[in-house]
C-alpha cells in the first residue's frame, strides 16, 4: 500500500495529530468541517503574534516593509500551492471574491452568446454568471446533472450541451460542489470544452488541499480558491489564477489603476488586506507540506468517508449522494433518509439524540444532509455516526 494510504488508516498517528488542535470538549461531534477548518494551535499562536505585531508597527511597518519583505514572498508560496508561476495569481479575500472578479471582468462575451451553469454551482457563482449574461446581452443555460451521477453522465451532459447550444462561450465548473460533495471530472470536461471553444472558470474552493491537482494538466485557465477549508489558513483569504497567456481575456477590475494592466493583481479590487492573516500563511503552508499536503489529507478524508458510506450504502432507507467511483468523490459526501420528507428534522435528531453536528443542503432531487469529516475526526467518531445513521433510518 502507498505510504499515504497506510497513514490514512493509522489511528495512532491521527490521534496524536489531533493533539495539535484545540477542540472544545463540550461541543457536539463536528461533521461540518466543510465550512472552514480549524487552525492548528501553533497557527493560532502565530496569527495572534502577527495581530499584535501589526497593531504595534501599524502603517509605519506595513507601508515601508510588508510589500517589499513579505507580500511578494507570500504570493509566491500561494502560487506554489497550485504549481503556478507567481505572476499568474492575485490574492483575494475569499473564493467568491476571486471567482466573481473573474466572472465580472471576463471580456469574451458579445450579445447573443451563451453562458453555462449547472445545479451544482455555488449560489454566488450562479448569480454572478446570471449578472454577467444580463450585462452583456448573453443567454444563461442552466443544466441539471443526473442523480446518481457517473463519469460518463457528467462528461456526456456537457458534450450534449456544447452541441445543443453552439453559442456557448463561457461556463462555470465546480471541482467539488458544496451540496453533495461530487468531484467533477475536470480534465475530461475541460478537454470537451476546448473542442467547442468554451472557456471555463473553475471553482476550486473545496478541492484545494484535499485533491492533488495541476491546473495546467487539467486544462484550466481561470480559477478561484480560498485558504480556510483544506489548507487550514485563517478565515477570509483567497486567490485567483489566470493562465498568463489568457490575462488579456479578463479586464482590469473596473479599470482600477493601482497595478498596470499587465499585472494579474489588477484583476481584483485593490483594498487593505488582512495583513496578520497573510503573515501567518508561511507557517500554514509549512504545516500543510509537513503533513504531506493534499496527498496525505485527501486519502485520510476519503478513508473516513468510506468508513461510513460502506456501512450504510445498502441500507434501504439511506441514499448516499455520491457514487463510489474514486474519481468522483472526496471527503465530503451527502446522504438523505429516503423514507423521510424533512431532512432538517433528521439533522436535528442527529444533533439532539446523538450529539452529531451536520448541515442540510438543497439539491435538484431535494434536501440532503452533508457530512464532512475533518483532520481532527477519528475513525471512532465515524463509527458513532454510522450507528446513528442506521438507527435513524430504521426507526
Ligand atoms: C464550492 C464552493 N465555492 C465557493 C465557496 C465560497 O468560498 P468563500 O467563502 O471563501 O467565498 C464555497 C464555500 O463554502 C464553496 O463550497
Amino acid at each position: 500500500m502507498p505510504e499515504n494510504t497506510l497513514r490514512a488508516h493509522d489511528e495512532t498517528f491521527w490521534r496524536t495529530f489531533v493533539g495539535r488542535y484545540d477542540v472544545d470538549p463540550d461541543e457536539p461531534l463536528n461533521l461540518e468541517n466543510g465550512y472552514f477548518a480549524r487552525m492548528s494551535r501553533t497557527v493560532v499562536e502565530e496569527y495572534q503574534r502577527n495581530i499584535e505585531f501589526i497593531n504595534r508597527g501599524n502603517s509605519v511597518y506595513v507601508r515601508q516593509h510588508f510589500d517589499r519583505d513579505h507580500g511578494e514572498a507570500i504570493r509566491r508560496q500561494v502560487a506554489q500551492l497550485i504549481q503556478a508561476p507567481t505572476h499568474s495569481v492575485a490574492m483575494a479575500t475569499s473564493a467568491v471574491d476571486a471567482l466573481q472578479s473573474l466572472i465580472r471582468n471576463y471580456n469574451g462575451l458579445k450579445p447573443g452568446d451563451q453562458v453555462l451553469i449547472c445545479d451544482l454551482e455555488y449560489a454566488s457563482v450562479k448569480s454572478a454568471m446570471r449578472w454577467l449574461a444580463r450585462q452583456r446581452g448573453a443567454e444563461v443555460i442552466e443544466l441539471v446533472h443526473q442523480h446518481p451521477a457517473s463519469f460518463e453522465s457528467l462528461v456526456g451532459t456537457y458534450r450534449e450541451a456544447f452541441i445543443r447550444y453552439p453559442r456557448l462561450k463561457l461556463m462555470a465548473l465546480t471541482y467539488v460542489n458544496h451540496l453533495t460533495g461530487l468531484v467533477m471530472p475536470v480534465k475530461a470536461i475541460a478537454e470537451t470544452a476546448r473542442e467547442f471553444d468554451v472557456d471555463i472558470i473553475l471553482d476550486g474552493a473545496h478541492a484545494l488541499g484535499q485533491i492533488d491537482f495541476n491546473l495546467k494538466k487539467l486544462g484550466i485557465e481561470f480559477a478561484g480558491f480560498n485558504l480556510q477549508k483544506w489548507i487550514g489558513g485563517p478565515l477570509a483569504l483567497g486567490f485567483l489564477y489566470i493562465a498568463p497567456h489568457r490575462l488579456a481575456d479578463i479586464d482590469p477590475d473596473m479599470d482600477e489603476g493601482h497595478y498596470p494592466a499587465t499585472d494579474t493583481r489588477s484583476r481584483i479590487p485593490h483594498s487593505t488586506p488582512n495583513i496578520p492573516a497573510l503573515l501567518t500563511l508561511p507557517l500554514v503552508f509549512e504545516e500543510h507540506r509537513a503533513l504531506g499536503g493534499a496527498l496525505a489529507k485527501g486519502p485520510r478524508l476519503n478513508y473516513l468517508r468510506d468508513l461510513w458510506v460502506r456501512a450504510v450504502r445498502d441500507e434501504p432507507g439511506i441514499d448516499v449522494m455520491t457514487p463510489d467511483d474514486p474519481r468522483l468523490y472526496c471527503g465530503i459526501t451527502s446522504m438523505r433518509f429516503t423514507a423521510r420528507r424533512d431532512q432538517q428534522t433528521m439533522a436535528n435528531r442527529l444533533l439532539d439524540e446523538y450529539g452529531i453536528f451536520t448541515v442540510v443542503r438543497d439539491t435538484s432531487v431535494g434536501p440532503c444532509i452533508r457530512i464532512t469529516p475533518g483532520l481532527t475526526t477519528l475513525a471512532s467518531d465515524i463509527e458513532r455516526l454510522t450507528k446513528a445513521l442506521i438507527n435513524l433510518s430504521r426507526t
Side-chain angles (χ1 to χ4, degrees):
M1 238 190 246
E3 198 187 321
N4 284 320
T5 315
L6 275 176
R7 181 184 287 166
H9 298 214
D10 181 355
E11 288 308 294
T12 311
F13 171 84
W14 290 100
R15 212 167 297 116
T16 310
F17 179 82
V18 172
R20 300 182 195 173
Y21 293 78
D22 286 326
V23 180
D24 185 344
D26 299 325
E27 78 176 14
L29 170 57
N30 181 0
L31 292 180
E32 176 24 13
N33 293 278
Y35 191 8
F36 61 96
R38 279 191 181 90
M39 293 179 276
S40 69
R41 193 177 305 111
T42 45
V43 167
V44 171
E45 286 163 1
E46 172 78 350
Y47 192 16
Q48 283 166 341
R49 269 194 300 275
N50 287 329
I51 291 172
E52 287 165 20
F53 171 66
I54 292 300
N55 196 50
R56 269 197 311 275
N58 194 264
S59 47
V60 178
Y61 162 78
V62 173
R63 291 243 184 260
Q64 294 189 86
H65 300 291
F66 175 73
D67 275 346
R68 198 190 57 210
D69 299 348
H70 298 288
E72 197 53 14
I74 290 165
R75 184 175 170 224
R76 187 170 63 245
Q77 291 188 31
V78 167
Q80 279 165 359
L81 268 185
I82 56 163
Q83 301 159 59
T86 308
H87 65 275
S88 65
V89 307
M91 294 308 299
T93 57
S94 65
V96 165
D97 183 30
L99 291 161
Q100 291 195 338
S101 295
L102 289 169
I103 294 168
R104 179 169 65 246
N105 297 313
Y106 178 80
N107 61 24
L109 286 182
K110 55 182 186 330
D113 284 344
Q114 293 166 321
V115 302
L116 184 69
I117 52 179
C118 80
D119 57 313
L120 299 173
E121 257 76 72
Y122 200 65
S124 322
V125 169
K126 281 191 199 175
S127 61
M129 291 289 277
R130 292 190 188 113
W131 175 91
L132 177 72
R134 270 198 311 279
Q135 298 301 311
R136 308 286 159 85
E139 183 190 356
V140 183
I141 307 297
E142 302 203 26
L143 295 181
V144 177
H145 285 288
Q146 173 188 307
H147 172 76
S150 66
F151 189 96
E152 291 71 27
S153 80
L154 292 165
V155 181
T157 300
Y158 283 110
R159 178 174 286 281
E160 278 165 28
F162 299 150
I163 293 169
R164 185 154 173 213
Y165 303 107
R167 288 177 287 118
L168 269 174
K169 284 297 283 207
L170 176 68
M171 62 178 274
L173 183 63
T174 307
Y175 205 152
V176 176
N177 82 75
H178 65 299
L179 303 172
T180 63
L182 185 76
V183 177
M184 280 287 174
V186 172
K187 187 165 186 274
I189 294 168
E191 277 166 7
T192 315
R194 175 143 315 115
E195 274 179 51
F196 292 85
D197 254 340
V198 176
D199 283 331
I200 296 177
I201 293 181
L202 183 77
D203 176 349
H206 264 301
L208 186 69
Q210 72 163 323
I211 295 181
D212 184 53
F213 59 84
N214 178 308
L215 288 177
K216 210 169 175 182
K217 288 190 188 148
L218 289 177
I220 291 298
E221 296 171 320
F222 309 112
F225 303 94
N226 59 28
L227 294 165
Q228 77 265 15
K229 291 192 189 291
W230 302 108
I231 297 294
L235 284 171
L237 291 178
F239 64 99
L240 61 70
Y241 164 82
I242 303 174
H245 67 283
R246 298 299 309 271
L247 186 60
D249 298 284
I250 307 287
D251 282 334
D253 191 60
M254 296 183 171
D255 277 337
E256 139 81 75
H258 191 84
Y259 291 107
T262 49
D263 191 319
T264 307
R265 288 172 294 181
S266 65
R267 270 54 177 184
I268 203 129
H270 179 69
S271 59
T272 311
N274 184 342
I275 293 164
L278 287 172
L279 284 173
T280 306
L281 285 180
L283 179 63
V284 171
F285 297 154
E286 197 183 308
E287 291 193 356
H288 178 69
R289 275 194 307 270
L291 182 63
L295 287 170
K297 291 180 180 176
R300 171 62 178 174
L301 295 168
N302 286 4
Y303 168 67
L304 294 171
R305 178 268 187 201
D306 286 344
L307 281 181
W308 73 265
V309 170
R310 283 186 187 144
V312 306
R313 176 66 88 188
D314 295 329
E315 278 293 309
I318 291 180
D319 177 24
V320 176
M321 308 288 288
T322 57
D324 284 331
D325 180 337
R327 298 169 297 181
L328 302 183
Y329 76 82
C330 60
I332 314 165
T333 283
S334 297
M335 54 76 60
R336 56 189 176 153
F337 293 98
T338 48
R340 313 298 169 115
R341 294 178 72 187
D342 188 351
Q343 303 300 315
Q344 187 59 61
T345 300
M346 300 309 281
N348 294 348
R349 287 187 62 191
L350 261 179
L351 182 59
D352 298 341
E353 297 171 28
Y354 298 91
I356 298 175
F357 185 71
T358 55
V359 70
V360 172
R361 287 286 168 261
D362 274 320
T363 73
S364 64
V365 292
C368 57
I369 299 174
R370 185 174 82 178
I371 293 169
T372 319
L375 296 176
T376 53
T377 308
L378 295 172
S380 53
D381 298 326
I382 298 297
E383 239 172 77
R384 199 169 131 195
L385 168 76
T386 305
K387 283 190 187 137
L389 294 179
I390 291 175
N391 280 347
L392 283 175
S393 76
R394 292 181 183 173
T395 52

